[in-house]
Amino acid sequence: MKNFENKKNTGPGIMPMIWLAAFMITSLLTSCEETEKAIQPEGISTLAIEEGKNTPSSIPYSGNLVEVKTEHMNFIMPDEIPSGWNTFRYHNDSHMIHFILIEKMPVYEGQQMTVEDYEEKIAPVFQAAMDLINDGKPGEGFAEFANLPAWSPQVVYTGGVGLISPGETAQTTLKLDPGVYVMECYIKTNGRFHSVDGMVKQFIVTETATSASPPDKVTLNMTLSEAGGIEVEGKLRPGLHTVAVHFKDQAVYGNALGHDVHLVKLENDTDMQELETWMNWSDPKGMETPEPAIFLGGTQEMPAGNTVYITTVLKPGRYAWIAEVPSPSSKGMLHTFTIPQGK
């Protein structure tokens, strides 16, 4: 569910007019003491590098740990989690790229909207629109969004876990208020959104809250804004990193999305133009499996003023931070960098 009105989202609760919703194993909760304690990374994780994974299964986390697993077109996770700071550790055990977009469902005219409302009133509209776009009729496709329900602008995007390639694990920490939430993935396969084929799940964030604080040992600070694009401060070194992502503002771009950020591992043969095109869902080839590079997580969009935390291991090599907007480099939303050998 994304916005189709060309205006800015200036803060929490100020949502665009029309939205794009083309779209854990059992909860591994720590003991009360562990849940309330912010567990912080210290220095370089030699073990993590030796495991050969950017996000191994035992890296530090803050707040309540929520294990999420995908085996195909599904999300396996608890039905209820506490409010406050939650770390989503997402294992993509499927054969396709996915992500988690978390959406707070509204109460409209006294009725709580649920995943059933999404599946009946949102998903069919977006698939009909995408079908027309794929048939070379973008004007007619975008016109389909007039059929979205009146409550759709009140859905609040609250972040999530960024794009993650098959076999990878990604970890993002964010703060959630009590309410009814839906998580979805709107990656496409053969032109169909994954959320239309079952990749959507409802969960409840309870009034019971963790007392944990966000991570305080941040290694990199990132600011996302329409004017500045992706701006990163901190030492680029191999090892374990916690990246604080600050949403300075929020905007609506040419494909009707707000900005988010995703981590990509670049190889010598990575086609950067293909990568940029792929990030635009409104292109028939955009967000379509298979992906043009290895994605290692990140965060989905949030209203202005929010901060989320990405925890990952950066091994020596070339990487990029990239947003899901048309032509990211022209907007400062493509930031390439290199992690050197050694400390």
Side-chain angles (χ1 to χ4, degrees):
M1 297 180 287
K2 299 288 183 180
N3 177 274
F4 283 84
E5 180 181 3
N6 189 19
K7 69 176 183 178
K8 295 184 180 180
N9 180 354
T10 57
I14 304 177
M15 299 306 295
M17 191 65 187
I18 305 179
W19 300 78
L20 170 65
F23 341 25
M24 173 178 212
I25 62 181
T26 306
S27 169
L28 180 60
L29 299 177
T30 62
S31 66
C32 180
E33 178 181 2
E34 291 172 328
T35 299
E36 304 303 326
K37 179 176 66 175
I39 307 172
Q40 307 295 348
E42 295 182 359
I44 297 175
S45 171
T46 303
L47 174 61
I49 295 175
E50 289 175 350
E51 286 183 4
K53 292 288 185 180
N54 283 75
T55 309
S57 59
S58 58
I59 65 173
Y61 64 92
S62 295
N64 176 57
L65 178 62
V66 183
E67 298 272 11
V68 186
K69 182 178 179 181
T70 286
E71 295 176 338
H72 182 53
M73 293 286 192
N74 60 351
F75 293 116
I76 304 170
M77 64 161 286
D79 293 330
E80 292 188 358
I81 64 174
S83 53
W85 288 99
N86 282 272
T87 292
F88 287 81
R89 183 178 291 165
Y90 183 28
H91 309 273
N92 184 1
D93 291 342
S94 76
H95 63 283
M96 291 183 288
I97 187 170
H98 296 295
F99 62 76
I100 296 174
L101 173 62
I102 298 175
E103 305 161 19
K104 191 172 189 291
M105 301 297 285
V107 175
Y108 182 71
E109 296 184 345
Q111 181 179 354
Q112 173 67 63
M113 297 296 103
T114 68
V115 68
E116 286 79 15
D117 296 293
Y118 164 80
E119 291 176 316
E120 294 175 3
K121 302 174 183 178
I122 298 290
V125 174
F126 283 91
Q127 190 57 57
M130 196 68 241
D131 289 344
L132 288 165
I133 293 171
N134 287 336
D135 286 342
K137 303 174 183 178
E140 294 179 36
F142 278 84
E144 284 290 317
F145 295 110
N147 296 322
L148 287 169
W151 51 264
S152 62
Q154 298 180 22
V155 176
V156 180
Y157 299 110
T158 56
V161 181
L163 291 157
I164 172 174
S165 291
E168 299 290 342
T169 297
Q171 182 169 300
T172 302
T173 301
L174 62 154
K175 190 176 184 180
L176 295 176
D177 294 327
V180 176
Y181 288 77
V182 167
M183 62 169 55
E184 66 162 312
C185 169
Y186 57 82
I187 289 289
K188 296 177 289 183
T189 297
N190 298 323
R192 286 181 60 83
F193 294 116
H194 288 184
S195 52
V196 174
D197 290 326
M199 202 156 186
V200 58
K201 177 177 173 58
Q202 177 174 296
F203 65 98
I204 306 299
V205 177
T206 67
E207 295 287 343
T208 303
T210 73
S211 61
S213 300
D216 59 3
K217 293 183 179 178
V218 170
T219 57
L220 297 173
N221 274 285
M222 178 186 298
T223 300
L224 302 180
S225 66
E226 183 180 20
I230 298 172
E231 300 173 286
V232 184
E233 297 180 353
K235 182 179 179 180
L236 294 174
R237 56 150 178 83
L240 185 62
H241 284 271
T242 293
V243 186
V245 181
H246 309 283
F247 285 82
K248 183 177 181 179
D249 62 19
Q250 190 53 274
V252 180
Y253 297 88
N255 65 344
L257 302 183
H259 46 248
D260 53 14
V261 68
H262 307 270
L263 177 63
V264 190
K265 181 70 172 67
L266 302 178
E267 305 295 344
N268 292 335
D269 61 350
T270 300
D271 186 326
M272 298 303 292
Q273 183 56 57
E274 180 184 8
L275 175 62
E276 290 202 54
T277 300
W278 191 86
M279 297 303 295
N280 180 7
W281 73 269
S282 61
D283 187 299
K285 296 181 180 179
M287 306 296 283
E288 173 78 28
T289 57
E291 69 276 26
I294 298 173
F295 285 83
L296 301 171
T299 180
Q300 299 294 329
E301 68 180 84
M302 301 184 79
N306 282 277
T307 296
V308 300
Y309 300 86
I310 302 165
T311 303
T312 189
V313 173
L314 294 177
K315 299 179 291 183
R318 294 177 58 239
Y319 297 84
W321 296 105
I322 191 168
E324 189 187 340
V325 298
S327 187
S329 61
S330 69
K331 301 173 179 61
M333 292 288 177
L334 172 61
H335 177 86
T336 60
F337 63 98
T338 298
I339 297 297
Q341 296 286 342
K343 297 183 179 182

